[in-house]
Amino acid sequence: MCGIWALFGSDDCLSVQCLSAMKIAHRGPDAFRFENVNGYTNCCFGFHRLAVVDQLFGMQPIRVKKYPYLWLCYNGEIYNHKKVNKTKPEVTLWMFLSLDSGFCHCCLLIGIIYFFFLRFYLFIREREHERWEGLVNLKHSTTPFLKVEPFLPGHYEVLDLKPNGKVASVEMVKYHHCREEPLHALYDNVEKLFPGFEIETVKNNLRILFDNAIKKRLMTDRRIGCLLSGGLDSSLVAATLLKQLKEAHVQYPLQTFAIGMEDSTDLLAARKVANHIGSEHHEVLFNSEEGIQVLDEVIFSLETYDITTVRASVGMYLVSKYIRKNTDSVVIFSGEGSDELTQGYIYFHKAPSPEKAEEESERLLKELYLFDVLRADRTTAAHGLELRVPFLDHRFSSYYLSLPPDMRIPKNGIEKHLLRETFEDSNLIPKDILWRPKEAFSDGITSVKNSWFRILQDYIEHQVDDAMMAAAAQKFPFNTPKTKEGYYYRQIFERHYPGRADWLTHYWMPRWINATDPSARTLAHYKAAAKA
């Protein structure tokens, strides 16, 4: 996924500022360009390109000759752009022009998920949080300490560009909620859904929407691959993806990728799925030393110190590194978002009511940019890969959230029961994989006997002493770490991003239970399921 940024009203040397800002080349390793905005010597757009579609004509920033004062720096996917015979950026520009032709000078900066915004001065786009490394060397003559603020998902901001090149906020607008069906749903070429909430009707609708969520994401000029942990979600994505690639007569085999240590439960399950669907499967092995050695790189890429996010990111970071170095797969599918959407975490078994489970599911979806999607996006983008997540398709997710709360909760001791039941008769994946109990990615990369979080804790025990923990509240008054593992990650984070601890509002932890660790393997339900 490309890296885009814009700088307005620079008081210092613009070229130096631009070069300082261009620290996000990993997002767009194929090409880069930055250009001045017309008439402003202290304003410019910058673009680091990952050439996924239209490698010859897709470079940005772009303008339309008829409207020389309209600039676009854009990142995202217009999956049906070929149907209107335009490039993706051109489609975006012409959609904007169709809304209002009365503008005089306009700059559009569009990112698909999340920004950091340096108010009235600079904004640089990345998919979840914006990279602080892209801002750290910037200077401003009137502001000794630059305030970096998060720009929340589902919003857009209109800015007024002043004659001196400065910008001022006009309005902030919330345009989307995860429950809402997108406006474009009326125009989607998707099979008509069946009305009502009878179980067979619901399952038919879910299969239609899931197929379409993957089908429209096939749009790319680069090779497609898929992360495969052997869990329910990634297995359904891989199996459906391979089926649709065959139907589309794609000439190359689907490459699937699994990572783990020896005796990893995920490696065994992923191997079984790959054999069942017939993918070109790659297994990436790593040991505890290799995992520990990349913690610094991982936390730097993530820009978070959340414990479970860091744990799970190590495997994803290493498998992404392998994909970039050893294959030509660039567009990578994964099963991210399903746990939040379909109530897949084990602690949902303890939800007090279907309504409380529904509330928790929506809360998790709203916080994806802080945790799971942050992890998935940052670890893949660090190695120049583009991630696609069909479970978070607008139409699929809005329909799933519209179902009655009691239809979505765990049943018969099994989480994601509705999703599993939906594909029961499809033969897409082996039955024991379809009904495989939840295994967190950070746990599944190791054996049950020696969990990854135990390996990390054993190592960190010798890196953080009791005296350091006793003074933790004084050293880190915000989000004070309660464990040595949390302290260790926080130290690394502060070294790279001093004073930015408030980027993480809270740690990810299970609800409704007295959990002292975010790992599912510490929960009683997991242990009972493992014995069964």
Side-chain angles (χ1 to χ4, degrees):
M1 189 59 69
C2 308
I4 67 178
W5 55 271
L7 186 147
F8 295 101
S10 173
D11 291 331
D12 297 304
C13 177
L14 187 65
S15 60
V16 173
Q17 298 283 47
C18 290
L19 291 173
S20 295
M22 297 179 74
K23 303 284 188 179
I24 49 177
H26 55 279
R27 282 205 168 266
D30 296 327
F32 77 92
R33 185 166 76 206
F34 63 89
E35 292 189 16
N36 280 97
V37 177
N38 269 13
Y40 292 90
T41 58
N42 60 348
C43 302
C44 68
F45 277 159
F47 185 71
H48 275 284
R49 188 176 186 213
L50 178 62
V52 170
V53 174
D54 192 11
Q55 298 186 50
L56 186 59
F57 297 108
M59 194 57 187
Q60 299 177 45
I62 70 166
R63 287 179 289 174
V64 176
K65 287 185 178 179
K66 185 178 179 181
Y67 302 99
Y69 292 101
L70 176 63
W71 288 72
L72 173 70
C73 210
Y74 158 84
N75 189 222
E77 300 297 349
I78 307 293
Y79 292 118
N80 65 343
H81 73 93
K82 291 184 178 179
K83 293 181 180 179
V84 293
N85 196 31
K86 293 183 183 294
T87 67
K88 294 187 301 174
E90 285 174 334
V91 170
T92 309
L93 271 178
W94 287 110
M95 283 192 302
F96 178 79
L97 290 170
S98 70
L99 295 176
D100 182 5
S101 59
F103 64 88
C104 57
H105 193 140
C106 180
C107 304
L108 300 178
L109 196 72
I110 301 173
I112 64 171
I113 300 183
Y114 201 59
F115 286 83
F116 258 172
F117 187 71
L118 193 52
R119 192 166 297 280
F120 306 135
Y121 185 55
L122 171 84
F123 46 103
I124 295 179
R125 185 243 171 242
E126 259 213 19
R127 287 187 63 185
E128 307 305 325
H129 280 56
E130 251 352 90
R131 299 201 61 78
W132 174 245
E133 66 177 282
L135 305 172
V136 71
N137 293 322
L138 290 172
K139 303 185 185 305
H140 192 260
S141 59
T142 61
T143 308
F145 183 76
L146 298 177
K147 183 174 177 57
V148 181
E149 299 178 1
F151 192 102
L152 295 176
H155 292 71
Y156 69 84
E157 185 166 15
V158 179
L159 300 170
D160 180 22
L161 183 58
K162 303 294 184 181
N164 64 356
K166 307 294 184 182
V167 291
S169 179
V170 176
E171 63 175 336
M172 178 80 74
V173 180
K174 182 176 177 61
Y175 66 87
H176 182 71
H177 184 276
C178 58
R179 257 189 187 282
E180 300 167 353
E181 187 174 53
L183 295 178
H184 63 71
L186 293 174
Y187 308 100
D188 281 355
N189 292 324
V190 82
E191 188 176 339
K192 185 174 177 61
L193 300 184
F194 302 96
F197 291 133
E198 296 295 326
I199 186 63
E200 290 305 318
T201 297
V202 169
K203 291 193 296 185
N204 279 329
N205 288 342
L206 287 174
R207 285 192 292 268
I208 290 169
L209 291 170
F210 188 68
D211 275 348
N212 190 63
I214 289 182
K215 185 179 298 182
K216 69 183 179 183
R217 285 170 173 78
L218 299 182
M219 185 277 299
T220 179
D221 295 334
R222 305 292 289 271
R223 183 168 182 163
I224 292 173
C226 188
L227 301 180
L228 179 60
S229 70
L232 171 68
D233 309 321
S234 65
S235 298
L236 285 176
V237 170
T240 306
L241 175 58
L242 190 144
K243 175 173 69 74
Q244 293 190 6
L245 287 173
K246 287 182 178 178
E247 292 173 359
H249 304 293
V250 173
Q251 297 303 304
Y252 57 78
L254 173 66
Q255 294 179 327
T256 51
F257 304 94
I259 186 167
M261 298 182 184
E262 290 188 12
D263 299 325
S264 158
T265 55
D266 277 0
L267 283 183
L268 295 174
R271 191 181 307 158
K272 186 169 190 174
V273 174
N275 289 336
H276 181 86
I277 66 177
S279 63
E280 179 189 302
H281 192 53
H282 296 242
E283 292 185 354
V284 182
L285 289 172
F286 77 104
N287 57 40
S288 57
E289 290 78 13
E290 290 169 324
I292 289 168
Q293 284 174 3
V294 298
L295 282 173
D296 191 280
E297 297 174 37
V298 166
I299 293 172
F300 176 72
S301 297
L302 291 175
E303 299 179 359
T304 189
Y305 50 92
D306 177 66
I307 295 171
T308 193
T309 303
V310 173
R311 290 176 183 172
S313 294
V314 170
M316 207 161 186
Y317 184 88
L318 289 173
V319 75
S320 298
K321 185 176 182 179
Y322 171 90
I323 294 170
R324 169 54 76 176
K325 183 178 180 181
N326 297 283
T327 79
D328 58 351
S329 287
V330 174
V331 174
I332 307 298
F333 280 65
S334 82
E336 307 302 328
S338 177
D339 284 324
E340 291 79 7
L341 176 66
T342 67
Q343 302 184 19
Y345 293 113
I346 287 178
Y347 71 85
F348 273 97
H349 289 281
K350 297 294 186 180
S353 67
E355 290 73 25
K356 290 296 183 183
E358 178 181 49
E359 290 177 11
E360 175 68 359
S361 179
E362 290 190 27
R363 182 188 72 85
L364 291 172
L365 287 168
K366 291 175 184 177
E367 294 181 352
L368 275 171
Y369 72 94
L370 290 172
F371 302 111
D372 270 23
V373 168
L374 178 142
R375 164 182 53 79
D377 173 68
R378 293 301 183 76
T379 54
T380 51
H383 301 288
L385 305 176
E386 175 169 309
L387 196 71
R388 295 188 178 175
V389 286
F391 275 110
L392 293 176
D393 178 79
H394 283 178
R395 293 210 67 191
F396 183 83
S397 59
S398 63
Y399 177 77
Y400 203 98
L401 292 174
S402 75
L403 300 175
D406 60 354
M407 187 176 280
R408 291 179 271 151
I409 59 174
K411 293 181 181 177
N412 304 323
I414 299 172
E415 63 283 343
K416 295 191 244 189
H417 195 279
L418 174 60
L419 183 63
R420 300 175 196 271
E421 195 177 357
T422 294
F423 293 96
E424 171 72 27
D425 299 321
S426 67
N427 196 37
L428 274 173
I429 59 178
K431 285 291 178 67
D432 58 335
I433 299 295
L434 182 69
W435 295 96
R436 182 188 177 198
K438 167 68 180 173
E439 177 77 282
F441 179 63
S442 59
D443 295 325
I445 59 175
T446 53
S447 68
V448 175
K449 293 181 179 179
N450 195 18
S451 296
W452 175 227
F453 77 96
R454 295 291 187 202
I455 294 171
L456 287 168
Q457 289 172 353
D458 288 346
Y459 167 78
I460 292 169
E461 178 66 29
H462 303 289
Q463 311 303 314
V464 179
D465 60 35
D466 294 339
M468 296 164 75
M469 286 303 301
Q474 288 73 40
K475 187 175 180 64
F476 306 120
F478 180 82
N479 270 347
T480 302
K482 305 298 183 184
T483 65
K484 291 185 177 182
E485 185 182 10
Y487 190 103
Y488 185 75
Y489 299 157
R490 182 66 172 274
Q491 276 188 316
I492 296 174
F493 175 87
E494 293 287 347
R495 186 166 68 249
H496 292 300
Y497 309 109
R500 306 294 169 178
D502 59 350
W503 288 352
L504 178 67
T505 56
H506 60 280
Y507 291 99
W508 192 100
M509 285 290 287
R511 298 193 70 186
W512 306 307
I513 53 180
N514 295 321
T516 57
D517 189 280
S519 171
R521 286 188 174 179
T522 65
L523 306 182
H525 184 91
Y526 174 89
K527 295 172 182 176
K531 289 179 181 178

